[in-house]
Each structure stands twice: as structure tokens, then as C-alpha cells.
Amino acid sequence: MDAALRDILIKMPKAELHMHIEGSLEPELIFALAKRNGVTLDYPSVEALRRAYAFTDLQSFLDIYYAGASVLLKEQDFYDMTWAYLERARADNVRHAEIFFDPQTHTDRGVPFATAITGIHRALRDAEAKWGMSTGLIMCFLRHLSEEEAFATLEQAMPHRDKFIGVGLDSSERGHPPEKFARVFERCRELGLRLVAHAGEEGPPEYIRTALDLLKVERIDHGVRCLEDSGLTQRLAREKIALTVCPLSNVKLRVFDKASDHNLLKLIEAGLAVTVNSDDPAYFGGYVNDNFVQMFEVLPLEKNHAYQLARNSFSASFLDNQAKRKCLDEVDAFFEQ
Ligand code: HPA
Ligand code: ZN
């Protein structure tokens, strides 16, 4: 890739729509928070923890990811984690970030829902005030837990309704199909929440279809396995359902054997509203710009693709139309230079 294209990828204004805030905890911060809170980790050092980041599939990652989150106890811990991500995102020219958090990972350890959401939300507000970055928080239900537990989490969230814009579905995909959560998503829809779900990452294309039909989600997180089903691919293109694709995550979790096997370009060529995101940047080897640069290095992607991906990131966001137009104008102006 030439230096000019690399520079465009790094500097272009972009939105990030698929990032788990707990997945932004760098090993150094995990150790600092463990020390601050008197939590004992199973790893003797930062280096030993980082060496454990050799994943074979989604579950092997989730086991370490939930262990890493165990150092988060106080509101300030959630603030510090979120602030570190926001500074990193700003350096990557992220103008708008829609951020996932997993409340059940914390409430199941006895950390109050309010502690987690208040700390995260305070950092988001500070980024808006200080830099004009816009943000939105999306609460994810853990799909390996029951629908009843998801309903209980929604109940705990209601006093904080002003702090989040939508709900998602994450964690172990195989064996936990979308229909398990049909009723809780219906309730969320009645409450006016925006809806997304992870589907077609490790799970089959059928999970993408049921996420659309039964959960009525507006975007699909990952969705890369849609290409196994041409009817579904055509439907996603026709209905302009955005896919929040996370290339480095897919390589680390062995959805694709190597970066050059990734289907990002094929998804774009199928007419899909693709976006590029970092998923769990501290665990998967890079933030959003690393995802762009590494894909453009190994696939025949060019400037017109960069332009389309930057535009898609805002078009697929949950910004209101006026804010969207302003961001899209900024993208156009950047590419006209
Ligand atoms: N997939 C499913 N659940 C997750 C992920 C992911 O990539 N990251 C954090 N929770
Ligand atoms: Zn994810």
C-alpha cells in the first residue's frame, strides 16, 4: 500500500460502531487496576497475560476477556477504562463511537449496575464536552445466560434509561440462537431502544436471518458468514442492513485463517453496507485504524473503498439525520482534498 493511501485511512473521519468497552482494557491497565483494588490475577506479569492472548476460537477469548474484567470494581475503574479507549479512538480520528458494555459481567460479580454505567457514561460525557466527539452506549445481553436474566438486567437498567441508546447481544454464539431472546428484544423495541445483535460471526447464516426476523435488529454485528447464503446476502443488500465487521477479531478468533483470507472486499462487492471496527482492540492486536491499514495491506482495496467505508460508518450509525449529514459532509470534504 502506498503512503498516501495509508495516510488517508489514518486521517479520514470515521465512526466506530462495534467495540466492547471491556475489550479495550489493555494488560497494563488490568494490572494497575488489580493493584489498586487488591485483586489477584492468575498471571504473574503483563507479559505473561499478553502471551495468553493466543486464541483458538470465540470461547477461548471470552474466558480471558471475562477474567480481565474482574479487576473492574469501582465507578472510577469504569471511567478510567472508558477514557483510555476514547483517547485512543480520538487519535484514530474517530468522530463518533457507539460503545458496547456487558453489565452482566459486572453484576454477576456483585458490582452494582449503577457503578458500571455511571463510570462509563461520565467518560462519554467528558469526551463530548472536551472534544466534541459524539458517543452512544449500547447495553449487551450475554447470550450464554437466560432470557430471564436478560429481563432482570433490563429492569436494573431502567433507572438509567437516559444513559444508553440501545441493546445488543454478545458472548458465545454457537448454541445460543437469537430466538432465545425474542421476547426481551420485543420489550426493548417497545421502549424505543435501538436494536443490534452479534450474528454470523461463528454461528450460521440462519442466525443472521432470525436476528432480523425475530429480534428485529437494525444492524448485524459481524455477519461475515452471510456470504454462505446468497438469498440472505441479497436481502441484506436490498434492505441496506449494515454489517459491523471486525477484521482483526475474525483473524484472531480463527473465523478466517489469515488476514488475506478475510471476505471484507467480497462483502463490499456484494453491495453490503459494510463498516470496519475493532471489537476488542486490546485483545485482537489493534484499534480501528490498525483494522483499516492491515486489511488494505493484504486485500486489493483502494481509495474509493476507503471513502465508501468512511461514509458507511456514519450512515449506519444511530446519529440523527442532521448530525449524520454533518459527518458525511466532513467525509466528502476530506476526500475532495
Ligand atoms: N463476539 C461475541 N461476544 C463478544 C465479542 C465477540 O467478538 N467480544 C466481546 N464479547
Ligand atoms: Zn463484538
Side-chain angles (χ1 to χ4, degrees):
M1 179 174 39
D2 65 20
L5 181 53
R6 186 194 190 87
D7 205 48
I8 286 172
L9 293 172
I10 288 168
K11 291 185 182 156
M12 67 186 188
K14 55 186 73 73
E16 179 152 52
L17 307 179
H18 182 163
M19 206 286 304
H20 304 262
I21 198 63
E22 294 89 349
S24 73
L25 263 185
E26 294 286 348
E28 290 78 7
L29 187 54
I30 291 178
F31 270 80
L33 293 177
K35 190 167 171 212
R36 190 158 100 187
N37 288 329
V39 173
T40 309
L41 294 165
D42 285 340
Y43 301 89
S45 66
V46 167
E47 295 70 34
L49 178 58
R50 219 182 265 287
R51 270 198 301 279
Y53 293 179
F55 312 116
T56 51
D57 60 6
L58 175 57
Q59 193 60 51
S60 67
F61 154 69
L62 290 170
D63 294 342
I64 288 190
Y65 163 85
Y66 295 130
S70 70
V71 300
L72 298 162
L73 295 181
K74 304 275 172 25
E75 187 193 308
Q76 190 63 36
D77 306 337
F78 290 89
Y79 181 95
D80 292 346
M81 166 178 70
T82 308
W83 190 252
Y85 163 72
L86 291 166
E87 286 192 309
R88 196 59 191 70
R90 180 167 182 257
D92 280 4
N93 292 298
V94 171
R95 299 283 192 275
H96 174 69
E98 292 176 12
I99 293 170
F100 295 136
F101 82 119
D102 286 341
Q104 290 160 296
T105 297
H106 314 301
T107 54
D108 285 4
R109 299 180 289 115
V111 174
F113 185 98
T115 299
I117 197 166
T118 306
I120 296 167
H121 187 256
R122 186 157 56 84
L124 300 182
R125 261 198 349 236
D126 284 355
E128 302 216 6
K130 203 167 167 196
W131 307 321
M133 187 192 279
S134 59
T135 62
L137 188 56
I138 297 176
M139 168 174 91
C140 284
F141 299 118
L142 297 182
R143 67 201 301 158
H144 67 275
L145 301 178
S146 68
E147 189 183 44
E148 191 185 345
E149 287 163 295
F151 267 116
T153 301
L154 182 59
E155 194 73 25
Q156 292 171 357
M158 289 323 290
H160 305 277
R161 177 64 188 85
D162 58 321
K163 299 187 185 73
F164 63 103
I165 60 169
V167 298
L169 187 63
D170 67 0
S171 189
S172 323
E173 187 180 9
R174 286 203 198 107
H176 300 286
E179 54 265 34
K180 193 173 153 185
F181 297 92
R183 282 166 302 186
V184 72
F185 268 66
E186 188 185 353
R187 179 75 191 118
C188 290
R189 201 156 66 94
E190 287 166 3
L191 290 167
L193 289 158
R194 309 305 297 256
L195 309 179
V196 298
H198 283 53
E201 176 187 17
E202 275 193 349
E206 184 59 19
Y207 286 16
I208 300 175
R209 195 175 277 116
T210 47
L212 294 171
D213 291 337
L214 302 177
L215 303 188
K216 303 202 170 15
V217 299
E218 302 168 80
R219 291 197 299 247
I220 297 287
D221 295 313
H222 294 295
V224 291
R225 288 193 61 194
C226 71
L227 293 187
E228 294 168 30
D229 181 330
S230 62
L232 174 64
T233 303
Q234 284 164 29
R235 174 184 176 187
L236 292 168
R238 192 173 58 240
E239 295 180 10
K240 298 186 170 59
I241 306 289
L243 304 184
T244 61
V245 176
C246 306
L248 292 179
S249 164
N250 294 153
V251 176
K252 282 278 184 193
L253 301 187
R254 311 299 303 275
V255 175
F256 298 97
D257 285 336
K258 52 186 191 298
S260 57
D261 289 340
H262 200 282
N263 66 4
L264 178 68
L265 180 55
K266 294 194 186 85
L267 293 165
I268 295 171
E269 286 175 341
L272 301 175
V274 177
T275 67
V276 169
N277 308 271
S278 68
D279 209 7
D280 299 282
Y283 292 91
F284 299 149
Y287 287 77
V288 68
N289 280 355
D290 299 306
N291 277 269
F292 276 106
V293 167
Q294 292 195 35
M295 279 294 105
F296 276 67
E297 266 168 357
V298 298
L299 298 177
L301 289 156
E302 293 170 5
K303 185 178 172 183
N304 64 304
H305 299 111
Y307 176 59
Q308 194 58 59
L309 289 167
R311 284 192 63 91
N312 289 352
S313 73
F314 293 110
S315 299
S317 76
F318 293 138
L319 285 167
D320 64 37
N321 284 335
Q322 192 189 343
K324 242 183 224 186
R325 192 155 323 113
K326 189 159 168 280
C327 292
L328 289 169
D329 286 347
E330 200 195 335
V331 172
D332 288 349
F334 177 86
F335 277 87
E336 271 160 26
Q337 283 172 25

